[in-house]
Amino acid sequence: MVTSSSSVKVELREQTDVYVVATWRRLMLLVWRRQASVAGVERSRALFQPWAARQLGGAAFLVVVPPQRTGPPDEATRAAMQRAASTPGGYLKGMATLIEAEGFIAASARALMMRLQARGTQGPAPNIFRTTAEAAAWVAAVLQDPEVTPEKLEEAIRVAREG
């Protein structure tokens, strides 16, 4: 399903009450609505591989953790994240996580995500971002896409989240 706003066109690949998997330009978004789950990680991985293989010049993957307070992923979800990070495929230009929250809990979550994504990764190094502006600069650079701006990425995330 394609949904759009005045500035972005987002394709919703799958949505549940827990997560949304969407694509915008050559970027796949896994936008968590609630606590991360094995199902969301595995489904996004399954959807990413065939979609990304069709993208000329490769694609990137961005996980978006909501600003609401969420706990760390359980053991099964951490294992699913490690599996996903260890088999990226040649079309993956980069993987990143945007943790929209602030404060000590958010800083702890960023540290945990960095450790999870870095362990066993064979592809490009993972990145953890605090702001949409940081994430947009990374996406624009890794995909060599000057059309990616903080405002458009923020809008794409909002459109995906609202489904």
Side-chain angles (χ1 to χ4, degrees):
M1 176 178 151
V2 175
T3 186
S4 60
S5 70
S6 60
S7 61
V8 298
K9 180 178 155 187
V10 175
E11 186 170 348
L12 301 176
R13 302 282 173 161
E14 185 167 300
Q15 55 184 324
T16 71
D17 60 336
V18 177
Y19 65 89
V20 177
V21 178
T23 53
W24 172 63
R25 304 187 69 76
R26 292 186 298 133
L27 178 67
M28 181 168 278
L29 300 162
L30 169 57
V31 181
W32 294 108
R33 291 176 165 164
R34 295 194 305 194
Q35 184 69 37
S37 69
V38 172
V41 172
E42 290 179 347
R43 287 298 300 147
S44 65
R45 176 183 175 195
L47 291 166
F48 180 79
Q49 292 176 344
W51 171 80
R54 294 188 309 270
Q55 304 306 306
L56 293 176
F61 191 93
L62 180 64
V63 178
V64 182
V65 179
Q68 303 90 317
R69 196 169 165 195
T70 59
D74 61 28
E75 187 62 36
T77 303
R78 285 194 299 269
M81 289 174 175
Q82 288 175 349
R83 284 190 304 275
S86 67
T87 56
Y91 37 76
L92 177 65
K93 293 298 181 187
M95 173 186 262
T97 301
L98 169 61
I99 300 178
E100 298 178 310
E102 292 293 329
F104 178 77
I105 300 295
S108 299
R110 282 186 204 87
L112 174 65
M113 292 302 294
M114 191 66 113
R115 192 176 83 227
L116 286 173
Q117 287 185 359
R119 197 180 303 169
T121 300
Q122 297 171 4
N127 298 282
I128 310 297
F129 299 109
R130 210 172 36 88
T131 67
T132 307
E134 294 169 342
W138 171 81
V139 172
V142 79
L143 295 179
Q144 299 178 340
D145 186 346
E147 296 295 316
V148 175
T149 65
E151 298 78 19
K152 288 181 180 177
L153 178 58
E154 190 170 312
E155 183 69 5
I157 292 168
R158 184 193 64 74
V159 168
R161 184 175 280 134
E162 292 176 0

